[in-house]
Amino acid sequence: MSLVSLAGAAALAAISPKAPVDVPVEAVVVVANRIPVAASESGRSVTVIPEAVIRDRQALVISDLLASTPGVGVSRNGGPGGVTAVRIRGAEAEQTLFVIDGVRLNDPSVVGGAYDAANLLVGDISRIEILRGVQSAVWGGQAIGGVVSLETRLPPKGALTGDAAAEAGGLGTTYLRGGVGGAGEALAWRLAADSYATDGVSAARSGTERDGYRRTGASGRLTADLAPEVRLDLRAVWSDARNAFDGYPAPAYVFADTRERGRTREALGYAGLTFPVAGGRVKNRLGLALTDTQRRTYDPDQAVTDQTFRAEGQVRRLEYQGEASLTPAWRLTFGAESERSRMRIASPSSFDPEPEALTRSTGVDSAWIQALGTPAADLTLTLAARLDRHDAFGDHGSGQVALAWHPGGGDTLLRASLGQGFRAPSLYQLYSEYGNAALQPETAVAGDLGVEQKAGDVRLSLTLFGRRTEDQVNFAVCSGGGDPNCAGGRYGYYANLDRTMAFGLEAAASGRLAGFDIDASYTWTQARLEGQAGAPDQDLARRPRDMAALDVSRTLARDLRLGMSLNYVGESLSDLWGGPPLKSYLTAGLRAEMPLGPMLSVYGRIEDVTDEAPETVRGYGAPGRVATLGLRGRF
């Protein structure tokens, strides 16, 4: 069961009089097996953040919600809109796969070919699942660290529903959101849009001018039942974000205030068809997904042209997934995927204002299979295998085994998993001005062992995990010594590290205790570089050994809902090149919500109450204390 679902259901019931008041007996997870499975049947480590908790926490940015879950670390280059890295269990950010409504979010033109979570707002998201550990056997190469799955809203059948929110707060911040949808017997649809704006803070911690951020987004979903068990599914997500940032101005060339700015446009589209064959014994889904990301950066102080960088990344993905019940005790899922990625980048300058764009593309074809069954009473076994055929790196196989065991069918749940991973270097890492065509793919082996115990209305969990990664890709700074990769005066290049290791412990507790809804977690992680020629063994950058989170909330008279959150992040290394460490920090938040009637409520929050403004990336600023007041309603 989700560690936060009990508290979330209570919060929704308290705030919204029309909300259901029953607390779910058990959560259902989808991301772990790519089909709906009861949490107690999944041997993989998953956390679910349901809609009730998303609403109760009042968060606007997805990464803020992720940072409160076990094993997840977040760093951001400055205020809202700055590059945002999400690391699961000490893995690299590009080893975290983001999925929205089943569609992978990746941009082949960024450094690691993954997804920058900077522009990912809560918006119309109704559910988040975080799958931890190596998950390549089911989800492919980008999932060495884990998977973050996001689901947008769909209305209940037979209803026309809508919701809206408006808020304003410190730093000149405003946020507007609205959505409407309806569902009949055969057709369901939902349209939503949001707009966020803030004056922000200086990206450079030493700076004085503010670096603002503006983002507009929209999403839509449509499902149509064409025949019994035949469904057409259409989805689209779009966003346009603009941010100001700082750089390294002449003549000192140190990080400081500049007038640089950027713009990122992201578009996602999906069309799918589900249908049965073999008399309904085999369920099938065919899907086509397209993602397109366009990025531009500008410096008005650059001569000749103000554009400094442009990039386009496109991914086209065709996929098939099938599901069959072999026996009453065993289910089989299987699939095939074909992905084509394209990168186009250029760096205009005063010396070359119209450079020829570098264009590269690659592809990977995959097939996978998974068996889920109960070979014995109270025991669920999952076996998965995958074969990837990459255009540049050939065939790579990966597998996974997972167990979930309820001894005697009681309140104790034991979990265990062991899996392999493979990730090819990105197009940028291979072919950009810092590229290295001799890079080798990353490979990983990881496992975990966990126990969950229900005690009254509280659920406790403890998980041990470990991962070994070979040939992890990292940026190497040129420092002389005749390195052939540094020919031509290059600043640096991408290189394979010999070996990285990560192991640790995750502890969590959630539920209702003495009238309070609680959600607490503690993670201890040691992520290290080991065995690298010419370099001592050391911690990896921005991987704090200690992380903890606590959220406590309660409903008082007249349905007034109060909440408090605490987040602690321990000291960590700022980079692999000997820079000073990033200091530990503790941030606190307060929030409240009061219904004004059956469909309307007023809410407010204070983030970072003590004005800690933590430095999560060396030299970059953070917003600090911000107060917000808002109004939201639904019908």
Side-chain angles (χ1 to χ4, degrees):
M1 183 176 181
S2 160
L3 300 182
V4 294
S5 59
L6 290 174
L12 185 59
I15 294 172
S16 176
K18 291 189 175 182
V21 295
D22 57 313
V23 175
V25 175
E26 182 172 15
V28 173
V29 297
V30 179
V31 67
N33 300 80
R34 295 181 64 160
I35 55 173
V37 172
S40 61
E41 296 180 4
S42 175
R44 300 175 173 113
S45 180
V46 187
T47 293
V48 179
I49 307 178
E51 183 175 4
V53 171
I54 296 173
R55 176 186 173 96
D56 188 39
R57 299 284 176 84
Q58 301 183 22
L60 296 184
V61 183
I62 291 292
S63 59
D64 290 344
L65 288 168
L66 300 178
S68 67
T69 61
V72 180
V74 175
S75 61
R76 188 170 66 191
N77 292 20
V83 175
T84 302
V86 176
R87 301 179 178 89
I88 301 178
R89 290 182 173 176
E92 291 293 332
E94 53 263 35
Q95 295 169 345
T96 300
L97 173 64
F98 279 83
V99 178
I100 183 166
D101 290 332
V103 181
R104 289 165 169 80
L105 299 176
N106 55 348
D107 176 5
S109 70
V110 301
V111 171
Y115 183 73
D116 175 10
N119 300 314
L120 193 57
L121 302 188
V122 170
D124 211 43
I125 300 299
S126 64
R127 177 182 169 94
I128 304 172
E129 295 185 31
I130 303 103
L131 176 60
R132 295 181 288 273
V134 172
Q135 307 297 335
S136 293
V138 174
W139 284 101
Q142 205 173 315
I144 284 182
V147 183
V148 176
S149 176
L150 313 168
E151 183 179 340
T152 59
R153 292 180 177 89
L154 265 180
K157 183 171 289 189
L160 177 67
T161 62
D163 55 88
E167 64 179 59
L171 302 179
T173 302
T174 59
Y175 179 65
L176 300 172
R177 181 187 64 80
V180 63
E185 290 300 319
L187 189 70
W189 59 276
R190 170 83 178 180
L191 296 173
D194 64 344
S195 178
Y196 177 81
T198 180
D199 294 338
V201 296
S202 175
R205 203 168 185 85
S206 60
T208 57
E209 52 83 27
R210 291 182 176 182
D211 293 307
Y213 175 63
R214 306 286 185 272
R215 179 196 176 275
T216 302
S219 64
R221 292 186 66 178
L222 172 71
T223 63
D225 294 330
L226 307 179
E229 298 188 72
V230 178
R231 171 171 289 186
L232 175 67
D233 191 352
L234 303 176
R235 310 166 194 170
V237 179
W238 169 86
S239 68
D240 186 351
R242 308 181 189 209
N243 70 301
F245 60 93
D246 292 325
Y248 296 82
Y253 297 103
V254 296
F255 192 42
D257 286 340
T258 64
R259 298 195 297 157
E260 293 175 81
R261 55 188 173 86
R263 184 174 186 178
T264 301
R265 295 175 177 174
E266 299 172 295
L268 173 155
Y270 172 84
L273 184 69
T274 58
F275 57 94
V277 297
R281 293 189 298 273
V282 180
K283 300 177 182 179
N284 306 274
R285 177 176 61 84
L286 283 173
L288 174 64
L290 304 172
T291 61
D292 183 278
T293 306
Q294 299 184 19
R295 294 180 292 125
R296 303 287 188 272
T297 61
Y298 304 89
D299 183 357
D301 296 320
Q302 177 176 267
V304 185
T305 177
D306 65 346
Q307 190 174 97
T308 57
F309 184 72
R310 61 176 180 265
E312 291 91 32
Q314 290 89 31
V315 178
R316 183 182 73 253
R317 186 179 187 87
L318 181 65
E319 59 184 19
Y320 163 77
Q321 180 172 320
E323 178 185 354
S325 295
L326 301 179
T327 70
W330 285 91
R331 282 188 290 171
L332 191 69
T333 54
F334 45 91
E337 302 162 355
S338 180
E339 181 179 285
R340 295 296 175 263
S341 304
R342 180 177 179 268
M343 171 190 78
R344 182 179 174 86
I345 59 175
S347 299
S349 67
S350 58
F351 304 101
D352 188 4
E354 292 294 338
E356 182 179 355
L358 173 67
T359 303
R360 292 290 187 273
S361 60
T362 191
V364 58
D365 298 313
S366 310
W368 61 275
I369 188 169
Q370 175 183 252
L372 174 69
T374 53
D378 306 320
L379 178 68
T380 303
L381 172 65
T382 305
L383 300 170
R386 184 184 191 91
L387 177 65
D388 291 309
R389 175 163 292 175
H390 194 279
D391 284 355
F393 298 101
D395 293 345
H396 285 266
S398 53
Q400 188 177 44
V401 57
L403 290 168
W405 179 37
H406 271 287
D411 291 332
T412 302
L413 173 62
L414 301 176
R415 285 193 173 100
S417 71
L418 180 66
Q420 301 168 303
F422 151 79
R423 192 187 80 89
S426 71
L427 291 172
Y428 191 94
Q429 291 167 336
L430 288 167
Y431 304 117
S432 72
E433 60 181 310
Y434 305 110
N436 179 0
L439 286 174
Q440 296 299 307
E442 301 172 346
T443 58
V445 177
D448 57 31
L449 181 64
V451 57
E452 287 188 16
Q453 179 67 48
K454 184 179 180 184
D457 292 330
V458 176
R459 186 171 292 271
L460 309 171
S461 69
L462 185 68
T463 304
L464 300 173
F465 64 87
R467 183 186 65 257
R468 175 188 173 118
T469 305
E470 305 283 352
D471 293 319
Q472 184 166 298
V473 178
N474 190 70
F475 189 76
V477 177
C478 290
S479 57
D483 187 338
N485 286 296
C486 297
R490 285 210 297 182
Y491 171 73
Y493 61 96
Y494 290 96
N496 291 113
L497 298 176
D498 184 64
R499 180 177 67 251
T500 63
M501 304 284 289
F503 57 91
L505 175 149
E506 297 161 349
S510 67
R512 175 164 288 184
L513 184 64
F516 290 88
D517 296 311
I518 63 168
D519 184 16
S521 67
Y522 168 75
T523 304
W524 179 82
T525 307
Q526 186 172 38
R528 292 180 61 79
L529 167 65
E530 296 181 351
Q532 184 71 13
D537 292 355
Q538 61 180 3
D539 288 349
L540 293 174
R542 302 168 199 165
R543 270 60 156 206
R545 294 201 176 187
D546 300 288
M547 297 186 297
L550 172 66
D551 190 271
V552 179
S553 54
R554 184 166 186 168
T555 303
L556 303 178
R558 299 183 62 185
D559 291 333
L560 172 64
R561 181 79 173 173
L562 300 178
M564 179 194 72
S565 63
L566 297 172
N567 280 78
Y568 172 78
V569 176
E571 183 179 283
S572 64
L573 194 68
S574 62
D575 56 53
L576 288 176
W577 310 304
L582 297 169
K583 296 180 180 179
S584 62
Y585 61 86
L586 175 67
T587 57
L590 299 173
R591 64 183 186 273
E593 182 162 6
M594 170 69 82
L596 300 179
M599 296 184 294
L600 194 65
S601 66
V602 61
Y603 64 93
R605 64 183 178 274
I606 303 176
E607 302 168 79
D608 196 0
V609 173
T610 59
D611 205 23
E612 181 78 10
E615 185 180 24
T616 61
V617 180
R618 190 178 67 181
Y620 283 86
R625 181 171 53 243
V626 177
T628 300
L629 186 64
L631 189 69
R632 59 185 170 193
R634 59 175 62 184
F635 65 86

